[in-house]
Amino acid sequence: MPDIQATLEFLADIPLYQIEKPFLALLSPSQLVDRNFPRENLQWEHHDKINIKDVRDDPFNYTIEKCGFQVLQHRSKIESFNLAIDVNMYKMETEMLLKNELGAEHVYCYDLRLRESKEFARTTFDLLDPMLVEGVAQGAHNDVTVDSGPVMIRRHLGLREQETYLTPRYRIRIVNTWRVLNDTAPDRPLTLCDFRSLNPEDLIPADRLLPDKVGEVYYLRYNQEQQWCWLERQHHKSPSFREPFHKAPYSDTETNPIMNDTRAASPAASNMSNTSTSSSGSGSPFPITSSMFPTPTVKKQPWKAWFTPVINTENTLIVTTSHHDSGTMGLGGY
């Protein structure tokens, strides 16, 4: 297939982010102590006519080792998500899939997100509801940062697993999988950036405020050198997986978040549903990779004037305006 062109959404390149760190607050109603405080400072810009390459005819050049993502051939035994047990079965299936594909010694799937390409008329939702259906994630982004990756890994590994795998011998990966639940993706297909074309300085750390913690994600600033990819007619038997975080072995400090994704905007067709999972895993020793990322500068965090995380708080998170219901991504450190 020839390249297509589409419109993609990026974090706006504005002077504000030179002095203030981007943030979004997803909090429970009881934590909104003063509605005069802003709950976000995110601003977006759209870039049109971006070339997007179809990777279907060149699979050997697009592997997780070469570009940070890969398309698989796999038929799921889970045909629908009607009950919480369906979610749990799909997580276990994903663990086995990644263990086989990556040769991992240990895989744990800690999160699953169901999404649908439509707008939701609601003001609150419960992020801990395993059956929650969300909208499309907003903006080109990476779910994990250099700082939030180690926090997430320690949170989801038990003490015995930490003693075993958080040693210099093991490579640690956080991997996202994405699968269409329709026969094919008719609208807003997943679009991936080849990490070989990324300038790390275009990855902008952003705070994600949750009732009991503060996480961190990367939003992407536009750069004309970025190379974007998609899979034409992606269907439920061709899931993709990508690696937003990678800790190389033989180093406690070499951590490389390397993948950003967004959704290509195209003329509306029928609603598209998909599921994404987040997993952490460990594998055999692997050559050291050098850190790509500059030392972050200290910026203002205005939310610190009114918010302190509270452990064991309410699960229901408020969405103050409708556009917030466009997907929570991996929440960063969640």
Side-chain angles (χ1 to χ4, degrees):
M1 280 288 295
D3 293 351
I4 65 168
Q5 291 188 330
T7 299
L8 299 182
E9 185 177 57
F10 299 84
L11 188 70
D13 188 8
I14 56 177
L16 173 66
Y17 299 138
Q18 298 299 319
I19 59 173
E20 190 171 293
K21 190 176 180 181
F23 76 95
L24 171 63
L26 294 169
L27 305 177
S28 61
S30 64
Q31 289 176 298
L32 297 179
V33 293
D34 189 338
R35 296 185 180 276
N36 293 322
F37 287 113
R39 295 304 183 257
E40 67 165 323
N41 65 352
L42 300 179
Q43 297 185 42
W44 308 99
E45 62 185 29
H46 295 83
H47 289 265
D48 302 326
K49 298 182 179 179
I50 293 179
N51 286 327
I52 304 179
K53 178 179 175 58
D54 183 8
V55 302
R56 185 177 295 278
D57 296 330
D58 194 11
F60 297 107
N61 192 41
Y62 294 94
T63 66
I64 199 165
E65 306 293 351
K66 292 181 178 180
C67 67
F69 66 86
Q70 187 171 330
V71 177
L72 306 175
Q73 296 302 314
H74 176 264
R75 185 183 183 93
S76 175
K77 295 180 180 179
I78 312 303
E79 297 183 352
S80 61
F81 292 87
N82 299 316
L83 301 171
I85 192 173
D86 299 326
V87 171
N88 293 332
M89 293 294 293
Y90 188 82
K91 286 182 177 180
M92 289 189 287
E93 183 183 73
T94 299
E95 290 172 354
M96 292 304 301
L97 172 64
L98 294 179
K99 194 170 186 177
N100 293 334
E101 288 293 332
L102 298 175
E105 187 172 312
H106 174 77
V107 177
Y108 174 62
C109 183
Y110 60 84
D111 191 27
L112 181 144
R113 298 283 158 184
L114 298 168
R115 302 191 185 279
E116 190 170 352
S117 179
K118 72 174 188 178
E119 294 185 6
F120 292 89
R122 58 191 178 191
T123 57
T124 62
F125 59 92
D126 182 357
L127 279 176
L128 299 185
D129 178 3
M131 305 307 299
L132 174 68
V133 178
E134 299 181 65
V136 177
Q138 189 170 23
H141 65 274
N142 192 74
D143 291 331
V144 189
T145 71
V146 166
D147 292 327
S148 67
V151 174
M152 297 168 72
I153 289 168
R154 289 187 178 275
R155 178 175 293 123
H156 296 295
L157 288 181
L159 292 178
R160 180 173 296 182
E161 285 135 355
Q162 291 185 35
E163 292 175 356
T164 301
Y165 298 121
L166 298 187
T167 64
R169 288 191 61 250
Y170 284 94
R171 170 170 57 165
I172 306 294
R173 287 169 149 169
I174 295 177
V175 175
N176 290 358
T177 66
W178 192 88
R179 186 191 298 267
V180 177
L181 297 182
N182 307 68
D183 290 336
T184 59
D187 182 40
R188 299 184 69 85
L190 181 69
T191 308
L192 299 163
C193 185
D194 187 330
F195 78 75
R196 294 170 291 190
S197 68
L198 278 176
N199 182 340
E201 294 187 356
D202 293 325
L203 293 168
I204 311 301
D207 289 327
R208 183 61 52 82
L209 280 58
L210 303 174
D212 61 344
K213 63 180 69 74
V214 178
E216 188 179 62
V217 301
Y218 283 127
Y219 289 115
L220 187 63
R221 184 169 53 197
Y222 172 73
N223 188 320
Q224 64 180 0
E225 300 300 320
Q226 293 159 0
Q227 297 179 12
W228 292 91
C229 305
W230 77 308
L231 182 68
E232 187 206 15
R233 298 188 304 275
Q234 185 171 5
H235 51 77
H236 61 278
K237 292 184 289 186
S238 56
S240 60
F241 71 111
R242 56 198 184 278
E243 183 183 77
F245 180 88
H246 174 191
K247 175 191 172 297
Y250 306 111
S251 171
D252 291 330
T253 58
E254 305 274 352
T255 52
N256 296 344
I258 52 177
M259 196 60 245
N260 295 267
D261 75 320
T262 186
R263 304 294 187 273
S266 57
S270 58
N271 287 340
M272 186 265 288
S273 300
N274 67 79
T275 180
S276 61
T277 64
S278 299
S279 311
S280 62
S282 55
S284 57
F286 189 77
I288 298 174
T289 56
S290 61
S291 176
M292 302 186 299
F293 296 88
T295 302
T297 58
V298 178
K299 298 180 181 180
K300 295 179 181 178
Q301 294 172 288
W303 55 266
K304 287 187 174 181
W306 54 268
F307 173 69
T308 301
V310 178
I311 305 301
N312 297 327
T313 188
E314 299 174 51
N315 294 337
T316 301
L317 307 186
I318 194 164
V319 181
T320 56
T321 60
S322 60
H323 77 273
H324 286 172
D325 202 7
S326 57
T328 58
M329 300 183 293
L331 297 175
Y334 180 59

PDB file of all heavy atoms in Angstrom, residues 129-149:
ATOM      1  N   ASP A 129     -13.064   0.177  37.641  1.00  0.00           N
ATOM      2  CA  ASP A 129     -14.087  -0.717  37.112  1.00  0.00           C
ATOM      3  C   ASP A 129     -13.484  -1.516  35.956  1.00  0.00           C
ATOM      4  O   ASP A 129     -13.122  -0.931  34.932  1.00  0.00           O
ATOM      5  CB  ASP A 129     -15.288   0.097  36.622  1.00  0.00           C
ATOM      6  CG  ASP A 129     -16.370  -0.774  36.001  1.00  0.00           C
ATOM      7  OD1 ASP A 129     -16.226  -2.016  36.003  1.00  0.00           O
ATOM      8  OD2 ASP A 129     -17.356  -0.200  35.497  1.00  0.00           O
ATOM      9  N   PRO A 130     -13.357  -2.832  36.068  1.00  0.00           N
ATOM     10  CA  PRO A 130     -12.717  -3.604  34.998  1.00  0.00           C
ATOM     11  C   PRO A 130     -13.503  -3.585  33.696  1.00  0.00           C
ATOM     12  O   PRO A 130     -12.945  -3.888  32.637  1.00  0.00           O
ATOM     13  CB  PRO A 130     -12.634  -5.024  35.582  1.00  0.00           C
ATOM     14  CG  PRO A 130     -13.716  -5.079  36.606  1.00  0.00           C
ATOM     15  CD  PRO A 130     -13.785  -3.688  37.185  1.00  0.00           C
ATOM     16  N   MET A 131     -14.783  -3.219  33.734  1.00  0.00           N
ATOM     17  CA  MET A 131     -15.600  -3.196  32.531  1.00  0.00           C
ATOM     18  C   MET A 131     -15.753  -1.784  31.965  1.00  0.00           C
ATOM     19  O   MET A 131     -16.524  -1.568  31.028  1.00  0.00           O
ATOM     20  CB  MET A 131     -16.984  -3.779  32.833  1.00  0.00           C
ATOM     21  CG  MET A 131     -16.960  -5.179  33.428  1.00  0.00           C
ATOM     22  SD  MET A 131     -16.000  -6.345  32.438  1.00  0.00           S
ATOM     23  CE  MET A 131     -16.888  -6.303  30.905  1.00  0.00           C
ATOM     24  N   LEU A 132     -15.034  -0.818  32.508  1.00  0.00           N
ATOM     25  CA  LEU A 132     -15.127   0.553  32.022  1.00  0.00           C
ATOM     26  C   LEU A 132     -14.721   0.640  30.555  1.00  0.00           C
ATOM     27  O   LEU A 132     -13.673   0.127  30.160  1.00  0.00           O
ATOM     28  CB  LEU A 132     -14.221   1.467  32.859  1.00  0.00           C
ATOM     29  CG  LEU A 132     -14.092   2.908  32.375  1.00  0.00           C
ATOM     30  CD1 LEU A 132     -15.420   3.646  32.546  1.00  0.00           C
ATOM     31  CD2 LEU A 132     -12.977   3.630  33.122  1.00  0.00           C
ATOM     32  N   VAL A 133     -15.561   1.291  29.745  1.00  0.00           N
ATOM     33  CA  VAL A 133     -15.232   1.555  28.341  1.00  0.00           C
ATOM     34  C   VAL A 133     -14.901   3.026  28.211  1.00  0.00           C
ATOM     35  O   VAL A 133     -15.691   3.894  28.588  1.00  0.00           O
ATOM     36  CB  VAL A 133     -16.404   1.181  27.414  1.00  0.00           C
ATOM     37  CG1 VAL A 133     -16.047   1.506  25.963  1.00  0.00           C
ATOM     38  CG2 VAL A 133     -16.730  -0.309  27.549  1.00  0.00           C
ATOM     39  N   GLU A 134     -13.733   3.326  27.685  1.00  0.00           N
ATOM     40  CA  GLU A 134     -13.271   4.696  27.559  1.00  0.00           C
ATOM     41  C   GLU A 134     -13.266   5.124  26.098  1.00  0.00           C
ATOM     42  O   GLU A 134     -13.388   4.307  25.181  1.00  0.00           O
ATOM     43  CB  GLU A 134     -11.860   4.831  28.131  1.00  0.00           C
ATOM     44  CG  GLU A 134     -11.749   4.478  29.603  1.00  0.00           C
ATOM     45  CD  GLU A 134     -10.337   4.658  30.106  1.00  0.00           C
ATOM     46  OE1 GLU A 134      -9.842   5.803  30.119  1.00  0.00           O
ATOM     47  OE2 GLU A 134      -9.720   3.645  30.473  1.00  0.00           O
ATOM     48  N   GLY A 135     -13.075   6.423  25.900  1.00  0.00           N
ATOM     49  CA  GLY A 135     -12.930   6.950  24.559  1.00  0.00           C
ATOM     50  C   GLY A 135     -11.504   6.793  24.061  1.00  0.00           C
ATOM     51  O   GLY A 135     -10.661   6.151  24.682  1.00  0.00           O
ATOM     52  N   VAL A 136     -11.240   7.408  22.926  1.00  0.00           N
ATOM     53  CA  VAL A 136      -9.912   7.349  22.317  1.00  0.00           C
ATOM     54  C   VAL A 136      -8.947   8.210  23.120  1.00  0.00           C
ATOM     55  O   VAL A 136      -9.280   9.321  23.524  1.00  0.00           O
ATOM     56  CB  VAL A 136      -9.980   7.834  20.858  1.00  0.00           C
ATOM     57  CG1 VAL A 136      -8.597   7.841  20.230  1.00  0.00           C
ATOM     58  CG2 VAL A 136     -10.916   6.949  20.057  1.00  0.00           C
ATOM     59  N   ALA A 137      -7.752   7.709  23.381  1.00  0.00           N
ATOM     60  CA  ALA A 137      -6.745   8.478  24.108  1.00  0.00           C
ATOM     61  C   ALA A 137      -6.375   9.729  23.312  1.00  0.00           C
ATOM     62  O   ALA A 137      -6.282   9.699  22.082  1.00  0.00           O
ATOM     63  CB  ALA A 137      -5.509   7.630  24.367  1.00  0.00           C
ATOM     64  N   GLN A 138      -6.147  10.823  24.015  1.00  0.00           N
ATOM     65  CA  GLN A 138      -5.942  12.117  23.367  1.00  0.00           C
ATOM     66  C   GLN A 138      -4.459  12.420  23.205  1.00  0.00           C
ATOM     67  O   GLN A 138      -3.672  12.292  24.137  1.00  0.00           O
ATOM     68  CB  GLN A 138      -6.596  13.222  24.204  1.00  0.00           C
ATOM     69  CG  GLN A 138      -6.616  14.581  23.510  1.00  0.00           C
ATOM     70  CD  GLN A 138      -7.479  15.575  24.262  1.00  0.00           C
ATOM     71  OE1 GLN A 138      -7.715  15.430  25.451  1.00  0.00           O
ATOM     72  NE2 GLN A 138      -7.965  16.582  23.573  1.00  0.00           N
ATOM     73  N   GLY A 139      -4.070  12.826  22.015  1.00  0.00           N
ATOM     74  CA  GLY A 139      -2.720  13.309  21.778  1.00  0.00           C
ATOM     75  C   GLY A 139      -1.689  12.211  21.631  1.00  0.00           C
ATOM     76  O   GLY A 139      -1.788  11.141  22.234  1.00  0.00           O
ATOM     77  N   ALA A 140      -0.655  12.490  20.823  1.00  0.00           N
ATOM     78  CA  ALA A 140       0.468  11.569  20.705  1.00  0.00           C
ATOM     79  C   ALA A 140       1.161  11.484  22.055  1.00  0.00           C
ATOM     80  O   ALA A 140       1.479  12.501  22.661  1.00  0.00           O
ATOM     81  CB  ALA A 140       1.442  12.058  19.638  1.00  0.00           C
ATOM     82  N   HIS A 141       1.426  10.271  22.530  1.00  0.00           N
ATOM     83  CA  HIS A 141       1.892  10.118  23.897  1.00  0.00           C
ATOM     84  C   HIS A 141       2.668   8.828  24.075  1.00  0.00           C
ATOM     85  O   HIS A 141       2.639   7.931  23.235  1.00  0.00           O
ATOM     86  CB  HIS A 141       0.704  10.112  24.864  1.00  0.00           C
ATOM     87  CG  HIS A 141      -0.200   8.925  24.666  1.00  0.00           C
ATOM     88  ND1 HIS A 141      -1.221   8.928  23.745  1.00  0.00           N
ATOM     89  CD2 HIS A 141      -0.215   7.701  25.256  1.00  0.00           C
ATOM     90  CE1 HIS A 141      -1.838   7.765  23.767  1.00  0.00           C
ATOM     91  NE2 HIS A 141      -1.248   6.991  24.681  1.00  0.00           N
ATOM     92  N   ASN A 142       3.373   8.752  25.169  1.00  0.00           N
ATOM     93  CA  ASN A 142       4.015   7.539  25.646  1.00  0.00           C
ATOM     94  C   ASN A 142       3.558   7.326  27.079  1.00  0.00           C
ATOM     95  O   ASN A 142       3.629   8.234  27.902  1.00  0.00           O
ATOM     96  CB  ASN A 142       5.538   7.676  25.588  1.00  0.00           C
ATOM     97  CG  ASN A 142       6.252   6.353  25.796  1.00  0.00           C
ATOM     98  OD1 ASN A 142       6.261   5.506  24.919  1.00  0.00           O
ATOM     99  ND2 ASN A 142       6.861   6.185  26.953  1.00  0.00           N
ATOM    100  N   ASP A 143       3.083   6.136  27.406  1.00  0.00           N
ATOM    101  CA  ASP A 143       2.439   5.903  28.690  1.00  0.00           C
ATOM    102  C   ASP A 143       3.385   5.931  29.881  1.00  0.00           C
ATOM    103  O   ASP A 143       2.938   6.018  31.020  1.00  0.00           O
ATOM    104  CB  ASP A 143       1.748   4.537  28.689  1.00  0.00           C
ATOM    105  CG  ASP A 143       0.545   4.503  27.757  1.00  0.00           C
ATOM    106  OD1 ASP A 143      -0.072   5.562  27.563  1.00  0.00           O
ATOM    107  OD2 ASP A 143       0.232   3.430  27.230  1.00  0.00           O
ATOM    108  N   VAL A 144       4.676   5.825  29.644  1.00  0.00           N
ATOM    109  CA  VAL A 144       5.649   5.656  30.721  1.00  0.00           C
ATOM    110  C   VAL A 144       6.830   6.594  30.486  1.00  0.00           C
ATOM    111  O   VAL A 144       7.206   6.854  29.352  1.00  0.00           O
ATOM    112  CB  VAL A 144       6.155   4.201  30.786  1.00  0.00           C
ATOM    113  CG1 VAL A 144       6.993   3.964  32.032  1.00  0.00           C
ATOM    114  CG2 VAL A 144       4.999   3.210  30.739  1.00  0.00           C
ATOM    115  N   THR A 145       7.418   7.082  31.573  1.00  0.00           N
ATOM    116  CA  THR A 145       8.601   7.930  31.476  1.00  0.00           C
ATOM    117  C   THR A 145       9.784   7.264  32.177  1.00  0.00           C
ATOM    118  O   THR A 145       9.646   6.233  32.842  1.00  0.00           O
ATOM    119  CB  THR A 145       8.368   9.311  32.110  1.00  0.00           C
ATOM    120  OG1 THR A 145       8.307   9.169  33.547  1.00  0.00           O
ATOM    121  CG2 THR A 145       7.090   9.949  31.602  1.00  0.00           C
ATOM    122  N   VAL A 146      10.944   7.895  32.053  1.00  0.00           N
ATOM    123  CA  VAL A 146      12.133   7.422  32.741  1.00  0.00           C
ATOM    124  C   VAL A 146      11.885   7.315  34.248  1.00  0.00           C
ATOM    125  O   VAL A 146      12.345   6.387  34.907  1.00  0.00           O
ATOM    126  CB  VAL A 146      13.323   8.373  32.452  1.00  0.00           C
ATOM    127  CG1 VAL A 146      14.469   8.118  33.420  1.00  0.00           C
ATOM    128  CG2 VAL A 146      13.802   8.193  31.026  1.00  0.00           C
ATOM    129  N   ASP A 147      11.134   8.258  34.794  1.00  0.00           N
ATOM    130  CA  ASP A 147      10.895   8.277  36.235  1.00  0.00           C
ATOM    131  C   ASP A 147       9.742   7.373  36.652  1.00  0.00           C
ATOM    132  O   ASP A 147       9.801   6.714  37.700  1.00  0.00           O
ATOM    133  CB  ASP A 147      10.617   9.712  36.701  1.00  0.00           C
ATOM    134  CG  ASP A 147      11.846  10.595  36.590  1.00  0.00           C
ATOM    135  OD1 ASP A 147      12.965  10.080  36.776  1.00  0.00           O
ATOM    136  OD2 ASP A 147      11.690  11.800  36.296  1.00  0.00           O
ATOM    137  N   SER A 148       8.656   7.329  35.877  1.00  0.00           N
ATOM    138  CA  SER A 148       7.497   6.545  36.307  1.00  0.00           C
ATOM    139  C   SER A 148       7.671   5.056  36.048  1.00  0.00           C
ATOM    140  O   SER A 148       7.049   4.235  36.726  1.00  0.00           O
ATOM    141  CB  SER A 148       6.221   7.053  35.620  1.00  0.00           C
ATOM    142  OG  SER A 148       6.253   6.808  34.227  1.00  0.00           O
ATOM    143  N   GLY A 149       8.512   4.675  35.095  1.00  0.00           N
ATOM    144  CA  GLY A 149       8.707   3.260  34.794  1.00  0.00           C
ATOM    145  C   GLY A 149       9.165   2.437  35.983  1.00  0.00           C
ATOM    146  O   GLY A 149       8.534   1.426  36.335  1.00  0.00           O
TER     147      GLY A 149
END
